[in-house]
């Protein structure tokens, strides 16, 4: 990692205009809406600690109680390259989910929890 860890504002600027700074669960995070029902929350980037890593959360939906965490990527270096690459991978993953019919909360919920059966289907 570079000698100087980039600030949340520097990361946002370098990642591009599709990223925003949002407060999620009382933490200032980077956020990107993929435009397909999925979005990514990038946590851990508003810290001065040089050893602090980022965590990316792929979400389906916008607001509780309808949103779900679909995938989590931990221990990502706080660099534009690492964060941008992981976010792009999550975007591709979400596009694949949509392509395979996982484009609503119920379908995603049962994909994440196959042990639960649909009792009224």
């Amino acid at each position: 990692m570079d000698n100087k860890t980039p600030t949340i504002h520097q990361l946002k600027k370098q990642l591009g205009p599709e990223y925003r700074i949002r407060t999620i669960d009382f933490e200032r995070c980077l956020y990107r809406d993929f435009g397909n029902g999925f979005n990514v929350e990038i946590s851990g980037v508003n810290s001065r600690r040089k050893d602090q890593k980022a965590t990316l959360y792929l979400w389906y939906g916008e607001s509780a109680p309808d949103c779900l965490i679909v995938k989590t990527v931990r221990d990502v270096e706080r660099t534009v390259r690492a964060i941008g690459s992981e976010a792009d991978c999550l975007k591709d993953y979400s596009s694949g989910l949509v392509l395979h019919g996982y484009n609503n909360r119920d379908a995603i919920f049962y994909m994440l929890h196959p042990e639960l059966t649909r009792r009224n289907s």
Side-chain angles (χ1 to χ4, degrees):
M1 191 181 296
D2 293 343
N3 235 359
K4 186 176 179 187
T5 304
T7 67
I8 191 171
H9 295 285
Q10 290 168 330
L11 287 169
K12 178 194 171 299
K13 183 177 180 181
Q14 293 173 357
L15 285 165
E18 61 270 6
Y19 289 84
R20 299 185 336 218
I21 297 174
R22 288 184 61 178
T23 300
I24 301 172
D25 295 333
F26 305 106
E27 178 190 2
R28 292 184 42 86
C29 303
L30 290 173
Y31 172 87
R32 179 176 169 193
D33 185 341
F34 293 145
N36 60 1
F38 293 87
N39 58 76
V40 66
E41 168 193 348
I42 305 162
S43 176
V45 292
N46 195 32
S47 172
R48 292 184 178 173
R49 288 183 37 210
K50 291 183 182 194
D51 62 341
Q52 175 78 35
K53 304 279 185 175
T55 301
L56 284 72
Y57 299 95
L58 177 65
W59 287 90
Y60 178 81
E62 274 293 313
S63 59
D66 296 325
C67 54
L68 297 169
I69 294 177
V70 178
K71 189 170 187 176
T72 303
V73 181
R74 300 181 195 289
D75 297 323
V76 176
E77 292 291 328
R78 277 182 17 209
T79 64
V80 171
R81 183 176 175 191
I83 291 170
S85 175
E86 291 295 341
D88 287 343
C89 287
L90 289 174
K91 182 175 192 259
D92 292 344
Y93 178 76
S94 70
S95 295
L97 290 175
V98 170
L99 186 65
H100 288 93
Y102 297 104
N103 57 2
N104 64 69
R105 187 189 187 289
D106 285 347
I108 293 166
F109 179 84
Y110 289 111
M111 176 196 76
L112 295 172
H113 303 284
E115 71 280 6
L116 301 176
T117 59
R118 297 182 195 191
R119 293 199 162 91
N120 295 327
S121 41

